[in-house]
Amino acid sequence: MTLVYQSTRDAQNQVTASQAILQGLATDGGLFTPLTMPKVHLDFSQLKTASYQEVAMLVLSAFLDDFTEEELAYCINHAYDDKFDTSIIAPLVKLEDHYNLELFHGSTIAFKDMALSILPYLLTTSAKKQGVDNKIVILTATSGDTGKAAMAGFADVPGTEIIVFYPKGGVSKIQELQMTTQAGDNTHVVAIEGNFDDSQTDVKRMFNDLKLREKLLSHQMQLSSANSMNIGRLVPQVVYYVYAYAQLVKSGDIQNGDEINVTVPTGNFGNILAAYYAREIGVPIHKLICASNENNVLTDFFNTGIYDKKREFKITSSPSMDILVSSNLERLIFHLLGNDADKTEALMEDLVNQGEYKLEPVRPEILDLFAAGFASEQDTRAEITRVYRQSHYIEDPHTAVASAVYQGYKNKTTDQTPTVIASTASPYKFPRVAVEAVTGTDTGDDFKAVQKLHELSGVAIPKAVSGLETASVRHKTVVAIADMQQAVEDYLGV
Ligand SMILES: *Cc1c(COP(=O)(O)O)cnc(C)c1O
């Protein structure tokens, strides 16, 4: 029996794992979601000595059950290799009052690498399995992080081409250099004279442009998407929660069977949903703590059952969490409603038409698993300082949001369960904020801050940053919004 992935908005739209990965988003606008949880034999007395790749094989073969073991081994071995700066891939660091699961040891030093390093292989393998031999063309609008991580994943992967659009002047110096110096003959970067929403809107338009689709097909090409709605990004994130629990058993910090809490700095709700699935397949998790920054729409949702996006969009020092519509929450809603596609679709329509929806808690036992809180900008900086003083460890602003929210949770509930925080970015990715929080002085320049951060923390400067100042810029194209499609056609030669 293969696992059924169904659209959250249409009960008739059911596919296998590889079909879901190849399609990315369901054509009805919903998200492909597993209807049941696969049975996984999690024996932590054995798993504690398993490698990351072995845990990945266990989890992926359960969720992506129409792939063969050879296919998955190919994907896993090409993804989790020396692109990561540590062979253990996701180290678990013990601090005074929590554990940080460092998910930032891949090529772009943020947690998106955990899934985007394997997605290209899952996607091209899915195409092969479905008898599709078109070239897969990835179009991505990015506000900074996803575009780079997607390119790093797709660079030189046979049978793929990737084109990334970013808002000129709308990303940090380090982020821009990371993209414009990207290697790989199949990678293309375009700066847009417009903002992120403009380029996102035009990318979506291109996806739905029938003429463009036909033109590409006549050249044996088809578009696909690398965004976090693809289950090929979600499932690989379940792996590191299983792995983290095994490491805690191995170190003796917990006994096999003890419960842990997981705190996740949340934006699009992908990472924390993966933690929920890890619990569903048997990782003993007590609470899933959903941490937000000042864009605290999820905090309100978990506390009131009302999702209300009608509020000011705040720009914060944790930009990857600056989001008011958390796309992957739709999957949790679907489960909360007993996998009811009609009810889910109705709520999502309320969100579009009225800017909000109200949940009737049909399955409160799921809702009870979650706790939620948010950290202000001030709380976030204070937490970076506190953790540095207490543990001589510098957290990036996203991790610090989670860490601050966990402190609040612990003080309020007196819950003493050992807690793992998903540490989603290296402080070297946001060096000015981290240095300012610790020293009280803004260096005024990303590269100066990198040096200072190195002096303060003693942590080696990652390759992703060290070569940037001198790397040659390969991508210099700047186009108006109206010319985005022309740029795509030029790159692809169609
Ligand atoms: C994307 C991102 C997040 C948010 O993750 P979601 O899965 O979208 O909730 C948090 N921190 C960093 C550094 C990110 O890049």
Side-chain angles (χ1 to χ4, degrees):
M1 254 274 294
T2 41
L3 205 60
V4 176
Y5 287 84
Q6 187 198 294
S7 166
T8 48
R9 300 193 194 178
D10 179 3
Q12 307 304 315
N13 194 355
Q14 299 191 343
V15 295
T16 66
S18 65
Q19 288 169 334
I21 290 173
L22 190 60
Q23 288 188 42
L25 205 65
T27 44
D28 52 54
L31 308 182
F32 289 117
T33 303
L35 284 184
T36 52
M37 282 295 125
K39 300 263 176 301
V40 189
H41 180 61
L42 294 181
D43 177 356
F44 286 102
S45 63
Q46 301 219 315
L47 280 177
K48 66 183 184 183
T49 54
S51 67
Y52 192 88
Q53 293 81 355
E54 287 166 338
V55 176
M57 178 59 92
L58 181 74
V59 173
L60 295 189
S61 59
F63 277 97
L64 309 180
D65 60 350
D66 66 335
F67 285 66
T68 66
E69 198 163 317
E70 291 78 51
E71 287 166 342
L72 287 177
Y74 161 80
C75 296
I76 290 167
N77 294 334
H78 280 81
Y80 304 112
D81 60 6
D82 58 12
K83 285 192 287 299
F84 286 76
D85 67 11
T86 162
S87 61
I88 59 174
I89 309 295
L92 188 67
V93 177
K94 183 176 185 170
L95 303 177
E96 285 298 320
D97 52 21
H98 62 269
Y99 300 84
N100 273 1
L101 178 60
E102 293 188 346
L103 303 173
F104 54 74
H105 288 270
S107 38
T108 76
I109 60 175
F111 103 102
K112 304 280 190 299
D113 292 329
M114 301 304 295
L116 279 166
S117 53
I118 194 165
L119 180 69
Y121 297 99
L122 294 174
L123 202 51
T124 49
T125 304
S126 298
K128 218 174 278 170
K129 293 178 77 62
Q130 301 299 325
V132 169
D133 53 12
N134 296 327
K135 181 175 261 188
I136 307 285
V137 179
I138 303 291
L139 294 187
T140 301
T142 185
S143 57
D145 276 348
T146 302
K148 171 64 189 180
M151 278 193 293
F154 280 92
D156 291 327
V157 173
T160 71
E161 207 76 36
I162 176 163
I163 304 171
V164 167
F165 300 95
Y166 74 93
K168 183 81 193 151
V171 300
S172 80
K173 181 90 197 139
I174 286 190
Q175 284 177 317
E176 179 163 43
L177 279 172
Q178 277 193 314
M179 288 189 277
T180 56
T181 60
Q182 173 67 47
D185 289 340
N186 64 338
T187 67
H188 312 281
V189 181
V190 186
I192 293 303
E193 290 164 342
N195 62 28
F196 169 66
D197 280 336
D198 298 332
S199 59
Q200 168 112 306
T201 304
D202 202 56
V203 165
K204 281 191 185 150
R205 184 197 60 73
M206 284 191 266
F207 267 101
N208 295 321
D209 185 327
L210 261 172
K211 264 201 181 137
L212 177 63
R213 187 176 301 190
E214 280 164 13
K215 194 170 188 179
L216 291 175
L217 272 179
S218 72
H219 289 82
Q220 276 86 51
M221 296 181 190
Q222 70 184 64
L223 295 178
S224 189
S225 147
N227 74 24
S228 71
M229 273 85 94
N230 194 319
I231 61 122
R233 273 189 63 180
L234 191 58
V235 171
Q237 296 179 4
V238 177
V239 176
Y240 45 75
Y241 292 110
V242 177
Y243 186 67
Y245 189 88
Q247 299 318 301
L248 286 169
V249 173
K250 181 182 182 182
S251 64
D253 284 56
I254 60 170
Q255 298 298 310
N256 190 0
D258 288 353
E259 288 192 318
I260 61 167
N261 293 329
V262 172
T263 307
V264 184
T266 297
N268 232 345
F269 208 76
N271 201 359
I272 193 166
L273 187 70
Y276 168 70
Y277 285 147
R279 186 183 187 280
E280 289 291 285
I281 62 168
V283 178
I285 293 174
H286 173 55
K287 281 280 179 189
L288 296 157
I289 303 167
C290 175
S292 300
N293 64 22
E294 290 180 357
N295 295 292
N296 57 355
V297 57
L298 285 167
T299 313
D300 291 346
F301 168 73
F302 280 109
N303 293 331
T304 63
I306 297 172
Y307 194 96
D308 180 1
K309 69 166 186 181
K310 303 184 303 298
R311 60 183 77 205
E312 189 195 343
F313 179 89
K314 304 242 174 84
I315 301 215
T316 74
S317 57
S318 44
S320 302
M321 299 159 68
D322 290 345
I323 196 158
L324 290 179
V325 178
S326 295
S327 313
N328 274 296
L329 183 66
E330 179 167 343
R331 288 185 162 115
L332 184 74
I333 299 290
F334 177 72
H335 295 314
L336 281 165
L337 296 169
N339 294 353
D340 188 321
D342 290 339
K343 283 185 185 166
T344 306
E345 185 181 25
L347 291 187
M348 295 306 133
E349 274 175 10
D350 287 350
L351 187 62
V352 171
N353 299 329
Q354 286 138 43
E356 67 171 39
Y357 59 78
K358 190 171 188 317
L359 188 72
E360 9 152 357
V362 200
R363 296 188 62 191
E365 77 278 11
I366 297 181
L367 217 46
D368 284 348
L369 294 175
F370 289 85
F374 76 100
S376 69
E377 285 294 279
Q378 202 181 354
D379 297 339
T380 305
R381 282 178 166 73
E383 181 66 4
I384 296 175
T385 315
R386 189 192 72 80
V387 172
Y388 181 68
R389 295 214 174 115
Q390 189 183 53
S391 305
H392 199 75
Y393 179 98
I394 301 183
E395 292 183 335
D396 100 286
H398 302 77
T399 309
V401 164
S403 186
V405 166
Y406 169 60
Q407 288 300 314
Y409 167 83
K410 202 171 56 164
N411 293 338
K412 201 171 74 189
T413 59
T414 69
D415 177 3
Q416 295 297 317
T417 310
T419 295
V420 170
I421 290 179
S423 179
T424 50
S426 160
Y428 281 109
K429 192 140 196 177
F430 304 92
R432 276 175 68 180
V433 184
V435 167
E436 189 187 353
V438 171
T439 65
T441 318
D442 181 8
T443 55
D445 174 88
D446 278 16
F447 290 106
K448 275 189 199 142
V450 164
Q451 285 307 326
K452 187 72 193 167
L453 186 56
H454 177 59
E455 286 163 31
L456 289 166
S457 66
V459 174
I461 299 173
K463 263 206 319 250
V465 172
S466 59
L468 270 188
E469 224 173 346
T470 51
S472 59
V473 171
R474 299 181 63 237
H475 307 276
K476 297 176 182 162
T477 310
V478 183
V479 305
I481 297 286
D483 299 327
M484 282 171 61
Q485 182 166 335
Q486 191 57 52
V488 169
E489 296 186 9
D490 288 350
Y491 281 131
L492 299 176
V494 303

